[in-house]
Amino acid sequence: MKKLKVFAPGTIANLGPAFDILGVALDNIGDTIEVKENNEGVLKIKEIKGKNKRIPFETNKNAVTLGFLEVKKILNIDFGVDIVLEKGLPISGGLGGSSASAVAGVYAANLLAGNKLKKEELLPACVNVEGILSGYHADNVAPSLLGGFILINSYNPLSVVKLGIIKDLYFAIAHPDFELETRKLRAVLPKHIELKQHVFNSSKAASIIAAIMKKDVKLLGKSIQDNIVEPVRSKFIPEFYDVKKAALDAGAYGSSISGSGPSVFAVTDDKKKAESIGKAMTEVFSKKNIESEFYVSKVSMEGVKKLFNKLFLR
Ligand code: HSE
């Protein structure tokens, strides 16, 4: 009976102006799954640990098992496995929670099937699960799968560019303890925008790519400005502009909404500074009686990975 354990990182999508086309993998927060073949030939979520408020166990609703089902379609293999999901990411928190679970499921299924597909070849399966759960977009699943910053260069056909990492970059991320559903937060976005909004956002998004290529954290921070999505979605995050101001006052180079929110991220080039920025952001939420926590993370180079744990394998 095969067993394995897989970790898929959380992600920050959009990075402000690059809506649906850019995302980055975080290195220390994510979802873990333990998968064990069973005798019944049934695909089953046995247990959900961690941040597990209301995650469905049903095979056709859970992101992990949906990932297995996508791989089943591609490789024409049936999976009989018991899965324990350790949810490290908040649900509907803006940190790619369902995406990480989907990526973990797809990756583990492929490993169990004998590693027939390369990581890149698993991307369509991951995006299909995202499409079912929260709307078709690749800027969370692609970095969770492949690591680093990922640019979506085309949706049809699906194609991505790996942009690598910036070693000195630290994210401070404040997560207020409430949920915003990505599907709903996509529905509130404008169908049409002004040409000058397009010019502003594309210049900032292009500058972010330049900053990543030049490994320039200050330019990255300065380019995190969004005139299209942030003004609309910020209305759903109480105190958003005060939280962002607190981050900038504490020395962050830039700040915006992580994915569709409610998490708010900020960038800096120093771990200690990232910690004070995170603290400053959560203090604003606390003053308004909104519970929150903060994370500090660098960029994950690798994306989803198999964990080798002696105790687990025994
Ligand atoms: N690009 C997606 C959105 C990311 O903003 O809707 C969601 O995490």
Side-chain angles (χ1 to χ4, degrees):
M1 291 284 160
K2 284 192 223 159
K3 274 181 181 185
L4 58 97
K5 191 168 178 175
V6 160
F7 171 82
T11 43
I12 295 176
N14 304 336
L15 276 302
F19 176 73
D20 270 5
I21 59 165
L22 184 68
V24 62
L26 300 168
D27 79 342
N28 57 0
I29 48 170
D31 289 354
T32 305
I33 58 170
E34 288 181 14
V35 180
K36 203 163 135 192
E37 281 184 324
N38 61 32
N39 289 321
E40 303 129 69
V42 191
L43 187 55
K44 205 165 52 189
I45 299 282
K46 261 190 86 178
E47 192 184 346
I48 302 176
K49 301 182 193 166
K51 297 181 188 281
N52 71 344
K53 290 181 253 168
R54 68 161 193 80
I55 297 179
F57 281 72
E58 295 97 311
T59 314
N60 61 353
K61 290 192 183 147
N62 185 286
V64 179
T65 40
L66 282 169
F68 269 82
L69 293 175
E70 285 297 320
V71 176
K72 172 182 165 168
K73 270 193 245 162
I74 304 170
L75 297 178
N76 206 12
I77 295 178
D78 275 320
F79 292 100
V81 287
D82 291 337
I83 300 166
V84 177
L85 166 60
E86 170 95 45
K87 199 73 201 153
L89 294 164
I91 308 169
S92 299
L95 294 171
S98 54
S99 319
S101 288
V103 167
V106 167
Y107 186 72
N110 183 51
L111 283 179
L112 279 182
N115 213 6
K116 295 210 166 59
L117 300 168
K118 292 196 214 110
K119 259 192 172 184
E120 281 76 4
E121 293 173 319
L122 298 173
L123 183 59
C126 300
V127 189
N128 285 347
V129 179
E130 187 79 278
I132 296 168
L133 294 176
S134 54
Y136 196 84
H137 62 94
D139 48 342
N140 290 111
V141 286
S144 184
L145 180 69
L146 303 170
F149 283 93
I150 302 285
L151 172 68
I152 318 301
N153 101 307
S154 158
Y155 271 95
N156 190 13
L158 186 60
S159 121
V160 301
V161 182
K162 290 168 80 168
L163 301 174
I165 67 166
I166 308 179
K167 272 216 303 276
D168 303 328
L169 172 62
Y170 287 86
F171 289 103
I173 305 151
H175 169 249
D177 190 17
F178 64 92
E179 296 179 15
L180 287 179
E181 257 183 66
T182 298
R183 191 178 290 287
K184 289 188 188 148
L185 272 283
R186 292 176 78 77
V188 298
L189 296 177
K191 299 269 175 295
H192 303 279
I193 56 165
E194 301 266 338
L195 187 59
K196 63 178 186 214
Q197 288 175 289
H198 162 72
V199 171
F200 183 90
N201 265 44
S202 38
S203 85
K204 299 302 172 217
S207 304
I208 289 182
I209 307 298
I212 299 165
M213 304 322 288
K214 288 161 71 102
K215 316 279 180 211
D216 184 337
V217 182
K218 282 189 188 147
L219 177 61
L220 174 75
K222 228 169 67 182
S223 312
I224 296 173
Q225 294 184 56
D226 168 18
N227 258 353
I228 300 171
V229 176
E230 186 185 279
V232 180
R233 286 182 170 169
S234 56
K235 298 188 181 113
F236 297 83
I237 307 171
E239 313 311 319
F240 169 75
Y241 286 106
D242 285 346
V243 173
K244 177 170 167 162
K245 183 174 180 304
L248 298 175
D249 288 348
Y253 298 131
S255 169
S256 189
I257 302 169
S258 180
S260 56
S263 291
V264 181
F265 77 95
V267 300
T268 182
D269 50 11
D270 179 88
K271 190 169 182 209
K272 279 224 169 89
K273 232 160 79 181
E275 269 152 18
S276 6
I277 293 166
K279 197 158 166 271
M281 293 197 283
T282 50
E283 274 167 11
V284 177
F285 282 125
S286 317
K287 273 187 202 142
K288 297 287 166 182
N289 295 322
I290 300 165
E291 267 188 52
S292 63
E293 58 188 340
F294 74 87
Y295 308 97
V296 166
S297 180
K298 297 192 85 168
V299 178
S300 156
M301 180 116 104
E302 198 180 357
V304 66
K305 60 185 176 194
K306 188 171 164 181
L307 296 180
F308 295 92
N309 179 339
K310 282 195 193 122
L311 278 175
F312 171 73
L313 288 173
R314 209 180 285 153

